[in-house]
Amino acid sequence: MIKFPKNFYWGSAISATQSEGASAKDNKTETTWDRWYKEDPYKFYDQIGPELTTNMYENYKEDVKWLKKTGHNSYRTSISWARLIPGGKGEVNQKAVDFYRDYFQRIKDEGVELFVNLFHFDMPIEMQEIGGWTSREVVNHFVEYADTAFKLFGDLVDRWFTFNEPIVHVECQYLNQYHYPAEVNPEKAIQSAFNTQLASSLAIQAFRKHELDSKVGIILNLTPAYSRSSNPNDIEAAKIADLIACKSFLDPSVLGEYPKELVDLLKDYDKLPDYTDEDLEVIKNNTVDFLGVNYYQPLRVKENPYEIKEDAIFLPENFYTPFEMPGRRMNIYRGWEIYPKALYDIAINIRDNYNNIEWLVTENGMGVENEERFRENGQINDHYRIDFFKEHLTELHKGVEEGSNCIGYQVWTFIDCWSWLNAYKNRYGLVELDLDTQERRIKKSGEWFKTLSENNGF
Ligand code: BG6
């Protein structure tokens, strides 16, 4: 039997926009997602937008009862900035305070530890209109929002996170066009990455002033970058991929400074963002207490074999290209490779290169389409998801056995939720959501997860 250390966290994560719904209710204002859906509904799978999602804003009292039934001793969600402070700045929305306090209190009453994240891809539209993460003003408003959240909910929250997967909103907004405003603008991407890191560090600075009994961290998607071969060009490509995809937030968040190679690379191309020495001091002095790690798929890369024109647009692809390894195992629904061993590699990397900081898996999961076909006697038998968890846990356990300071494993997610542009195409939940009736039913994986948590292993 594989046993995890005592007091190991078992649970799941979700986010405000993906679960709450009520996107225009009780004074909440538009986010970039609400606006994008209004402008371009065809971008969203089956044209399902963020207005209803899993409707936890209405159902939370019932939904939190599923936490215990699925073995949770911890649970993460995020606060919607646009709900708490409509428009992103100024007055606090009392309706939102009432909702979050009651929701959070009920989670605590279930005996579940509460982890709360401040930003999960959901920028209030007014903040985007003044430049989003490329703007200093938005950084300041975010810090005010963070400070307000610490003040209002600090007594209820056990662990805070400043951001979820910050590299994702940077890339998706300004390089890959998966998030609004869907531009391709490397200069904005770089400025937005720096400002996001600064916002995280400033929020941590604000957090410390409250002298709360909780800890603060950041959630990063630490996808290891594996090179196609041992050829020096491929290895160099993987090194750069790692700098951009992982170290760009991992190093400043945990070690307090940017990797020199990343700074040199940007300097060489005259692409450094605007910053001050004072900003670097803030980053240095406000590192995280612990780390959340989301892991779904590895990043496999090879050298870019083409010569880059001198005036070419500055994109990560200039330095490395994705490598589609023959025979790789795929989750065909999401188009992501399944490679559990990466969790072991992540564990060892944190142990050896990041002071063996306390960390936990904050997302891992398998999105599958049309799960209806797996229904047996009324229940979805998602045996593939149980196998997926087991394989990842086996690798994680190896890392823990070898001394990595991992304290928990949370899956994505406890109830089927809305997945951005993919809407409800792929389902991830331990609990099934029937979109037509809004009924909730436990899946096989939900029962399995409860036993896993009770036995602290499998
Ligand atoms: C993570 C995000 O990157 O992946 C979640 O934090 C997201 O918000 C999850 O839902 C799964 O990805 P997707 O695109 O299938 O929803």
Side-chain angles (χ1 to χ4, degrees):
M1 180 170 182
I2 289 183
K3 270 264 180 205
F4 283 84
K6 233 175 122 205
N7 300 326
F8 207 68
Y9 284 119
W10 298 105
S12 69
I14 208 160
S15 79
T17 306
Q18 292 176 272
S19 61
E20 285 174 14
S23 67
K25 227 177 172 165
D26 289 347
N27 312 322
K28 179 184 163 290
T29 49
E30 268 186 342
T31 65
T32 43
W33 294 97
D34 300 311
R35 176 63 61 86
W36 209 12
Y37 181 64
K38 214 183 264 174
E39 285 179 2
D40 214 345
Y42 287 97
K43 283 217 177 306
F44 296 76
Y45 188 80
D46 270 350
Q47 287 89 63
I48 298 179
E51 73 277 52
L52 183 63
T53 65
T54 303
N55 200 19
M56 283 180 72
Y57 190 77
E58 309 284 351
N59 283 319
Y60 69 96
K61 292 180 189 161
E62 285 308 310
D63 283 339
V64 297
K65 294 191 184 139
W66 284 104
L67 294 174
K68 271 289 181 218
K69 290 187 217 161
T70 45
H72 285 64
N73 61 22
S74 58
Y75 168 75
R76 172 194 22 138
T77 189
S78 66
I79 294 173
S80 159
W81 182 359
R83 189 181 301 286
L84 188 64
I85 306 181
K89 62 173 183 170
E91 294 283 297
V92 168
N93 174 15
Q94 190 53 44
K95 290 230 156 101
V97 179
D98 296 345
F99 162 64
Y100 284 118
R101 282 208 66 90
D102 193 41
Y103 179 20
F104 293 170
Q105 186 61 59
R106 283 168 191 268
I107 291 164
K108 308 282 301 173
D109 292 347
E110 290 290 311
V112 172
E113 283 203 30
L114 174 64
F115 298 4
V116 171
N117 172 37
L118 293 168
F119 189 85
H120 196 126
F121 310 160
D122 54 346
M123 180 67 82
I125 196 67
E126 291 80 355
M127 296 290 105
Q128 189 60 42
E129 282 167 350
I130 57 170
W133 290 118
T134 67
S135 149
R136 254 322 153 103
E137 208 184 323
V138 170
V139 171
N140 296 338
H141 292 311
F142 173 79
V143 179
E144 286 157 22
Y145 150 60
D147 194 51
T148 306
F150 299 140
K151 198 159 49 205
L152 290 169
F153 311 116
D155 58 324
L156 294 171
V157 178
D158 296 292
R159 288 179 185 255
W160 289 92
F161 294 105
T162 54
F163 283 86
N164 174 78
E165 299 187 352
I167 193 70
V168 170
H169 68 246
V170 169
E171 289 179 338
C172 291
Q173 287 197 295
Y174 297 116
L175 296 176
N176 303 333
Q177 298 178 280
Y178 291 120
H179 291 188
Y180 191 86
E183 293 176 20
V184 181
N185 186 324
E187 288 77 17
K188 283 191 181 176
I190 293 165
Q191 191 63 56
S192 142
F194 181 78
N195 287 356
T196 300
Q197 177 59 52
L198 180 64
S200 173
S201 306
L202 283 166
I204 293 173
Q205 189 176 57
F207 172 83
R208 305 267 180 245
K209 293 201 179 114
H210 290 272
E211 296 185 353
L212 294 167
D213 229 5
S214 45
K215 293 188 176 187
V216 65
I218 190 166
I219 299 153
L220 304 178
N221 47 319
L222 294 187
T223 308
Y226 297 104
S227 85
R228 168 181 61 177
S229 75
S230 54
N231 172 287
N233 291 357
D234 279 348
I235 293 195
E236 182 61 18
K239 229 171 111 183
I240 299 184
D242 195 42
L243 281 175
I244 295 174
C246 297
K247 287 171 172 257
S248 52
F249 283 97
L250 181 58
D251 284 31
S253 292
V254 176
L255 306 176
E257 50 188 38
Y258 281 97
K260 184 172 175 310
E261 297 96 317
L262 180 60
V263 177
D264 288 347
L265 179 80
L266 295 178
K267 225 188 252 169
D268 282 352
Y269 288 85
D270 198 17
K271 294 290 176 202
L272 281 177
D274 289 335
Y275 67 95
T276 65
D277 287 347
E278 202 189 314
D279 297 338
L280 298 185
E281 271 304 291
V282 169
I283 291 172
K284 196 178 191 67
N285 295 328
N286 294 285
T287 53
V288 292
D289 297 326
F290 74 110
L291 201 60
V293 174
N294 292 354
Y295 172 70
Y296 292 89
Q297 56 163 344
L299 175 62
R300 295 193 190 275
V301 297
K302 57 184 182 188
E303 71 164 324
N304 169 17
Y306 303 108
E307 208 170 309
I308 305 297
K309 287 191 287 177
E310 226 170 85
D311 58 352
I313 181 167
F314 183 78
L315 292 174
E317 296 93 285
N318 299 1
F319 303 98
Y320 59 87
T321 48
F323 168 52
E324 296 196 352
M325 187 179 75
R328 70 202 195 286
R329 194 174 142 202
M330 292 296 289
N331 168 0
I332 51 168
Y333 312 103
R334 188 60 182 82
W336 285 348
E337 182 183 341
I338 299 177
Y339 186 63
K341 181 177 173 290
L343 262 190
Y344 170 76
D345 294 339
I346 290 171
I348 299 306
N349 181 32
I350 295 175
R351 183 194 70 185
D352 293 349
N353 301 313
Y354 294 92
N355 307 326
N356 205 13
I357 190 170
E358 183 177 87
W359 70 285
L360 77 154
V361 175
T362 34
E363 283 183 35
N364 181 226
M366 191 180 178
V368 171
E369 217 172 323
N370 186 17
E371 288 198 306
E372 200 45 53
R373 70 202 134 119
F374 301 110
R375 194 180 297 287
E376 287 170 9
N377 305 320
Q379 181 182 48
I380 288 178
N381 182 355
D382 50 347
H383 52 87
Y384 42 86
R385 182 167 290 115
I386 298 172
D387 291 343
F388 180 97
F389 292 153
K390 278 185 182 167
E391 287 185 65
H392 284 80
L393 282 167
T394 303
E395 293 294 337
L396 179 66
H397 185 257
K398 253 174 80 185
V400 174
E401 287 280 281
E402 291 177 30
S404 189
N405 192 11
C406 177
I407 57 164
Y409 177 80
Q410 297 179 325
V411 300
W412 186 265
T413 181
F414 103 96
I415 189 165
D416 290 337
C417 72
W418 184 80
S419 276
W420 315 109
L421 296 185
N422 276 333
Y424 281 94
K425 175 176 169 288
N426 303 311
R427 304 303 187 95
Y428 285 86
L430 301 173
V431 174
E432 175 199 354
L433 168 72
D434 185 323
L435 267 190
D436 297 326
T437 61
Q438 285 285 320
E439 234 178 288
R440 277 85 162 136
R441 300 178 205 104
I442 195 161
K443 298 182 198 174
K444 203 76 183 167
S445 62
E447 292 172 351
W448 180 83
F449 202 81
K450 181 163 188 279
T451 312
L452 167 77
S453 159
E454 282 166 359
N455 294 333
N456 205 29
F458 64 96

